Amino acid sequence: MRRKTDADRTPDMVALLCAVGARRDLDAYEALFRHFAPRVKAYMARLGGDGQLAEELMQETMIAVWNKADRFDPSKGAVSTWIFTIARNLRIDAFRREKRPDFDPNDPAFVPDDAALADAELDAREVSEQLHEAIAALPEEQAALLKLSFFEDQSHSAIATRLNLPLGTVKSRMRLAFEKLRTALAHFGDVS
Amino acid sequence: MTIRHHLSDDLLVSYAAGSLAEGWSIAVATHLALCPSCRRSLSVAESIGGDLLENISDNASVDHSWASVRARLQQAPKIAAGGTPETPPAGYSGGLPEPLRSYVGGDFDTLKWRPLGRGAYHIPIRTRDRETMVRLLRIPAGKPVPEHSHGGRELTLVLNGSFADGGEVFARGDIEDADASLTHQPVATPGTDCICLAVTDAPLKFRSWIVRAIQPFLGI
C-alpha cells in the first residue's frame, strides 16, 4: 500500500482536468484555476513581465487550459507539466516574439515510439512525487541552475556569465542534475 | 533507423525550459521528430518545469482574475473539435520532418537550392532570433565540406545520406554538436549527396584563405 503524501490530500488535478475536458465542468475548472492561476502568474512575473503583462499571460494560459482540456492525456505526464508547457509556449511568443519550433506527431516523417513503450501506463502522480523528491535532493548549486534555466529565460552562456562560472561548469552541473533526475524516473519506463 | 548521435542534456533542458533560441530549436525539434529516445528524455525535462511550477511560492488572491476569466469563458465561442489526425501514408518515412519542412517551404523534391561552389548547395532559413544562422546544406557524395573551425557552436543534423567526421559516421537523424575547439572536416559518404541542417552561432572560420576571402560573398 502506498504511503500518504501531500499529493494525496490535495484535490486530484487529473480528475479535475478530465472533467473539464469531458463535460466542460465549470466547478472543476474553478478548482484548477484557483490552484494554478497564482503559480502561472508568478512564473510569468519572474520572467520579467510587469504585473499587467503577467496577468494577461496567465489569463491566456488558463483560457487555453479550458479550450484544450480534452487533449490532455494523463498517461503522458502530470497536469502541472501540461500547464507548464502551455505557459512556456505563450511566454516565448510574447517575450521573444519567436516561434517555438516543435515536432508534429501527425507528420508522415515523424518516427513513432515502439508500441510497447508508448502503451506503458504510468501513474502520473507517482512519477511526479518521485521527481519532486529527486529535485529536492539535488545539491543547491544544481537546483539553482535548473531554476535559472526554467524561470529566467537565460541561455546557459548567459547563466555562466551571471554566476561568473565557466560555461563548461554550467553545462556539467546541468548534465549531473539531469542525469540524477532521469535515473530517479528510470524504473517507470525506459527514459534513460 | 538507429540513431547513434543524440541531443546533449544542455540542449534538451534549454529547449524544455523555453530558453533556447529559435535557430537551435529547429535542429532540436527536428531531431526529436526522428528520435523516440530523446522524446522520452524531453518529457523528463518538461516534468521538471511542471514540478518547479507546482512548487513556486505565491499566495496572491485570484478572486478578481477568476471573475474576469469566468466572464471570458462565457463569451468565448464554442470550440470546434480538433481535426482528426491525418493518417500518414504507409511506408512514407524518408521526407523532411516537421518543423523543418515548414521552415524551408517544401520537401526534398521541391527544394530550391542555391549553389555554394565545388558542387555544394545551400538554402538559408530565416528565423526571428539574432544569435544563430540556419541553413540546409547539400554536400556532393564523396566530397568534403571545407575544413573549418568555429567561432562558437555548430549543430549539424543529417536528413539524407551520411557523412563521416573524426572516425564516426553520422546518418539520418544523427546530430553532431561541435564547439569552438573543434577543427573538423566532415566528408559526405559516397553514393548519395548528404543533406543536413546546419545551425551556427557565428560565421564559420575557414582555414583556407581562398575560402575565407570569398566567405562574405557566399554568406556562410
Side-chain angles (χ1 to χ4, degrees):
Chain A
M1 197 162 104
R2 225 150 52 80
R3 71 209 147 77
K4 288 281 177 191
T5 66
D6 285 349
D8 289 319
R9 284 188 290 272
T10 55
D12 184 344
M13 295 297 155
V14 171
L16 292 173
L17 186 51
C18 290
V20 176
R23 47 180 192 279
R24 295 269 165 249
D25 183 325
L26 194 62
D27 292 336
Y29 179 71
E30 180 174 358
L32 277 175
F33 187 93
R34 291 190 179 278
H35 182 79
F36 282 107
R39 291 172 167 80
V40 173
K41 189 171 174 183
Y43 168 73
M44 295 299 184
R46 285 200 196 189
L47 288 157
D50 57 34
Q52 183 58 35
L53 183 58
E55 174 73 23
E56 280 170 26
L57 288 170
M58 176 276 279
Q59 292 198 13
E60 288 306 314
T61 304
M62 295 312 294
I63 285 174
V65 167
W66 172 262
N67 288 338
K68 296 179 178 175
D70 59 336
R71 291 185 232 164
F72 170 72
D73 177 354
S75 72
K76 296 272 167 63
V79 172
S80 58
T81 301
W82 187 70
I83 294 181
F84 163 74
T85 61
I86 293 175
R88 172 198 65 195
N89 295 354
L90 284 168
R91 189 263 293 172
I92 292 173
D93 200 45
F95 285 78
R96 289 221 303 260
R97 301 183 185 283
E98 287 174 20
K99 281 202 282 182
R100 179 173 193 276
D102 204 355
F103 54 85
D104 173 5
N106 298 317
D107 172 19
F110 180 84
V111 176
D113 209 339
D114 288 348
L117 285 168
D119 288 347
E121 282 284 321
L122 298 183
D123 180 333
R125 180 173 286 203
E126 233 174 288
V127 174
S128 319
E129 283 172 21
Q130 190 91 31
L131 181 69
H132 180 67
E133 282 169 26
I135 292 175
L138 286 178
E140 181 50 37
E141 58 181 29
Q142 292 173 19
L145 267 189
L146 282 180
K147 282 183 190 156
L148 279 174
S149 210
F150 278 86
F151 287 161
E152 312 261 336
D153 193 21
Q154 298 214 339
S155 67
H156 291 160
S157 40
I159 293 174
T161 309
R162 176 160 151 188
L163 300 180
N164 201 18
L165 288 170
L167 179 58
T169 307
V170 169
K171 284 189 185 177
S172 65
R173 280 184 193 168
M174 190 68 77
R175 193 164 55 239
L176 281 171
F178 191 54
E179 200 52 53
K180 279 180 205 157
L181 304 181
R182 200 158 35 180
T183 309
L185 298 186
H187 66 277
F188 287 106
D190 178 24
V191 291
S192 58
Chain B
M1 183 175 71
T2 307
I3 292 179
R4 293 173 200 279
H5 301 275
H6 295 273
L7 295 172
S8 66
D9 288 344
D10 81 285
L11 283 173
L12 261 176
V13 171
S14 304
Y15 178 75
S19 55
L20 193 65
E22 186 180 358
W24 309 115
S25 297
I26 298 170
V28 169
T30 306
H31 174 86
L32 286 166
L34 298 172
C35 185
S37 153
C38 284
R39 288 202 301 274
R40 291 195 288 274
S41 292
L42 177 72
S43 65
V44 173
E46 289 183 332
S47 302
I48 299 171
D51 183 76
L52 295 176
L53 178 69
E54 179 66 41
N55 292 289
I56 209 165
S57 53
D58 195 280
N59 301 309
S61 159
V62 288
D63 288 341
H64 190 72
S65 309
W66 168 241
S68 128
V69 165
R70 190 188 171 138
R72 287 176 68 186
L73 294 184
Q74 281 157 359
Q75 290 161 5
K78 281 271 180 246
I79 300 305
T84 42
E86 298 165 37
T87 313
Y92 180 86
S93 62
L96 276 180
E98 291 291 6
L100 182 58
R101 193 168 67 243
S102 296
Y103 271 94
V104 294
D107 213 327
F108 287 130
D109 50 356
T110 57
L111 296 176
K112 296 193 171 49
W113 293 101
R114 299 189 196 172
L116 201 52
R118 301 185 183 199
Y121 291 83
H122 76 152
I123 299 173
I125 294 170
R126 281 168 180 273
T127 68
R128 300 182 72 167
D129 81 56
R130 289 174 185 187
E131 68 174 79
T132 64
M133 292 173 63
V134 186
R135 60 178 24 84
L136 210 54
L137 278 175
R138 194 175 101 203
I139 310 301
K143 293 284 166 43
V145 176
E147 187 181 1
H148 59 280
S149 60
H150 308 273
R153 192 174 206 173
E154 180 183 44
L155 291 181
T156 311
L157 173 67
V158 179
L159 297 153
N160 195 52
S162 60
F163 69 78
D165 192 14
E168 297 192 85
V169 174
F170 294 79
R172 180 169 164 93
D174 283 327
I175 194 158
E176 183 178 51
D177 190 344
D179 67 14
S181 65
L182 185 73
T183 294
H184 62 155
Q185 186 158 36
V187 180
T189 309
T192 318
D193 287 359
C194 179
I195 297 178
C196 46
L197 175 71
V199 186
T200 56
D201 61 354
L204 301 180
K205 291 178 193 159
F206 285 96
R207 280 225 169 144
S208 146
W209 68 269
I210 299 178
V211 177
R212 242 180 4 238
I214 61 171
Q215 200 176 350
F217 306 103
L218 298 177
I220 59 176

